[in-house]
Every structure is written in C-alpha cells, then in structure tokens.
Amino acid sequence: MTNETLLQHRRELHTHLTDELLPFWTARTADRENGGFITHFDQYGHDSGEDEKSLIAQTRSIYTYASAHRAGYGEGALAELARHGVEYLLAHMWDSEHGGFYWMTNRKGEVLNDQKIVYGQSFAVYCLSEYTLSTGDPRGVEYAQKVFDLLQKYASDTSHGGYFEMFHRDWTLKGPGAAGGDRKTLDAHMHLMEAFTSLYECTRQTIHRRKLLEVIDLLTGKIMHPIYGTGVPQFWADWRVAPQIKFDVIWGWDRFTEDGVKREAEDNTSYGHNAEFAWLLLYALDVLEIPHKTYQTQLLNAFSHAVDYGVDWEFGGVFVEGSHSGNVYDREKEFWQHAEVLIGFLDAYRIFGDEKYWRAYETVHRFVMDKMVNHSLGEWWPLMTRQGVPIWTHMSHSWKINYHTVRSMVQSIRRIDNLLIIS
C-alpha cells in the first residue's frame, strides 16, 4: 500500500460520493408537498409509489444529510434537507401523548403503525443528535434526550440489563414470539451504542456517558460470542441465546424459511455486523476518550473473523453470513455489509497494521465499484449473486436507504485521509 494507491482509492470514493451517490438522493427524496422524504425508488430511480414513510427511513435520511453536511459536503444544501426531514419527524411522527416516535405514517403524515420499536427510537436519537452537531439547531438534541429518557423509563431491563425492544403505543411491552416482547437483539443494542455515542458527543452529560458504557459492556460481555467474539443475533430476556426468528415488525429483508426461523438459527453471525460493531465501538471509544487497546481482543476478533471467513477472495466482495466457527452459509452479496466492512477494514488496518486488512479492503472496494454500484443511477444494487449479478433490483425502500452507502463513502474517505497523514 502506497500513498499513490491511497490517493487513487480516495479519488474513486470521492467521485462516486459527489458525482453519483449524493446527487441520486438529493434529486429525488424531498417531499415538497407533504414534508419528509420519499424513500421508495425502483431499478430506474423512479418513485415506486408505496404510500408509507417509515421511522427508520426518515431518521436514516436525516442522519445521512446532517452527517454529510458536517463532513463538509453539499455547500449547505444537505443541512437544509436535514432540517426538512426534522420538521416532518417532529410534526407527524412524534407522539405528543405518550412520547416517542411512531413506527410508520403514510405519505401525508397519517399514522399507519403507532408502535414504539426501540430499533427505530435508536435511530431517532442518532439522527437528531447528529442534526444538532451539524447545524446547531437545539431541537435535535432536545428530542434526542426525550427519547433517551423514555428508553430508560420504559425499555430498560433492570433485572438482566439491556433494553426490551417491542412496545405498543403506550410503551406497554408486546407479547412473546413473533411480537418480540420476550427477546433482545444484537442489532438494536449495537445501534443504541451508536446513538448514545452521538448523544454523548452532543451533550457531554454524565448520564449519557454512563449508559453508553453500560451498552458497550453488555455488547462485549454478553452479546458477542464468548469464544469467537462474533455477534449473536437474538437472545431471550435473560441473555440466553434464542433461535433467530422473524418479528411481526421487521427492519430488514433477511432470507428466512417459510416457518420464520433462520437455518442454523443459533449458530449464525453476520460479517457485516461484526465489522460494523467493531468500527462503531472504536468511534464510541474515541468520543469517550478511552484507548482502543482497552478492547483490543474484542476488536481483533470481530475484524479478523470478517476478513478470514467473510471476504470472497475469488469473486470479490463479502459474503452475507455464516457460522461463528467459520462455515459460510450465505454467499450472496448484500449492499449494507459491503458498506460497513469498507469502513471497518480501514479502521482495522489503521490500528493493527496488518496488510491482510488492506488487501481485504481493496477486494471489497473493487467489487463495490465494479459490480455493486449502479453507475447509470449512482446508487448500489441491494442484493447480488456471488459473481455480482443483481438479484433484487430496487434502488430504495424503507429498509434500503442512503444511510449505509453515503456513510460508507464519507467515513472511508475520512479514514484514507488519516492514513495519508500517518504515512
């Protein structure tokens, strides 16, 4: 790896971000009639017409525009888009009676699903904290703190630690099984770590620091596999490993069997989640001003598993998921895992200096730029065969939005800049 190689990769990332990716979104998403964002686009980039605005898509869009503005892109236009999204979020998705944000509205802002899902609340904290950090508008952190307080009041499990995740509108816990009231997940707690990091960066309040440290200890002590250091997807309330099932309210399009239970449900880990967890942990440690060596073993386990078993050295890119011990279960190529491992492998190379992480980064970078980016439009294909042929062809819906792809480019460019300074 040389400075010229770094600069070449940086140029490619920057061109993609500024000439393709951001223009795809800024040209399409703002709903000037009803507020908020239109988030469903077909393979041609046309509005596919779904009459919904999900909490996850609205908050992730706000985060995307606010964070890209804070990183120096958009000449102010991205801050305006973030403000546009916040106006809708507060006016139409905030529950003024019970607090928290509704899970789903239609395009006009009428509530379709009034449940309180912690996964969505975490992204509200994340995007609103980032919005205040990037624009100075105090409304963001005001509502981020309101959601944080509600989570402590209603969702915190004082017996076993962590947070329950599925609630009715009035914050009463939902039932067991597919309703999800008796389970906890890696996904929600990882994003709570992410959210509490941004909240603490914004407020520097002791309570936000303490709760962030609690989530980190939970992730490293209970949620990551005790032997392999890899992510375990689902647990019972007392942190016994639970079979991974499909919830009634879902936030992804993972491939499940007809009975709603994943194959190898209790021995299943995502290479993308492991790399994402590790770089988000590093981000949290930086904000907390804690040396990363404090968690060096955990970081090394998560990063090395993603490289050693997840990277497809034959066709490029990264696989979807496999066993904790290394057997690959799903060799398809999904957009978000690629976005997260690009950031993660650059962080791993920076802190460990092992060339395998740079080789892994290059392998994924090349697959993304040559196969996964739909250059005719600027966004990424959502799911591809191992060889790089699109399986799903939509450009966006409630679960595939700009958060992973734009963040990946912004954060990867930042890390390459750091490597250029170091070298």
Side-chain angles (χ1 to χ4, degrees), residues 3-18:
N3 271 7
E4 181 52 40
T5 303
L6 285 170
L7 287 169
Q8 177 186 344
H9 283 81
R10 189 194 190 281
R11 284 192 293 268
E12 195 167 14
L13 295 174
H14 190 270
T15 297
H16 171 52
L17 175 63
T18 58

Side-chain angles (χ1 to χ4, degrees), residues 303-311 313 356:
F303 281 136
S304 62
H305 187 276
V307 169
D308 295 342
Y309 303 113
V311 174
W313 298 103
K356 77 174 183 179

Side-chain angles (χ1 to χ4, degrees), residues 263-315:
R263 184 171 64 89
E264 306 292 349
E266 294 183 63
D267 182 23
N268 188 69
T269 193
S270 162
Y271 309 110
H273 266 158
N274 292 332
E276 184 179 16
F277 157 76
W279 84 254
L280 287 173
L281 176 58
L282 280 169
Y283 160 49
L285 296 175
D286 286 344
V287 171
L288 290 164
E289 299 181 340
I290 295 174
H292 65 77
K293 290 184 178 180
T294 308
Y295 292 90
Q296 181 157 318
T297 298
Q298 184 67 71
L299 292 165
L300 186 60
N301 285 340
F303 281 136
S304 62
H305 187 276
V307 169
D308 295 342
Y309 303 113
V311 174
D312 185 348
W313 298 103
E314 182 177 359
F315 293 102

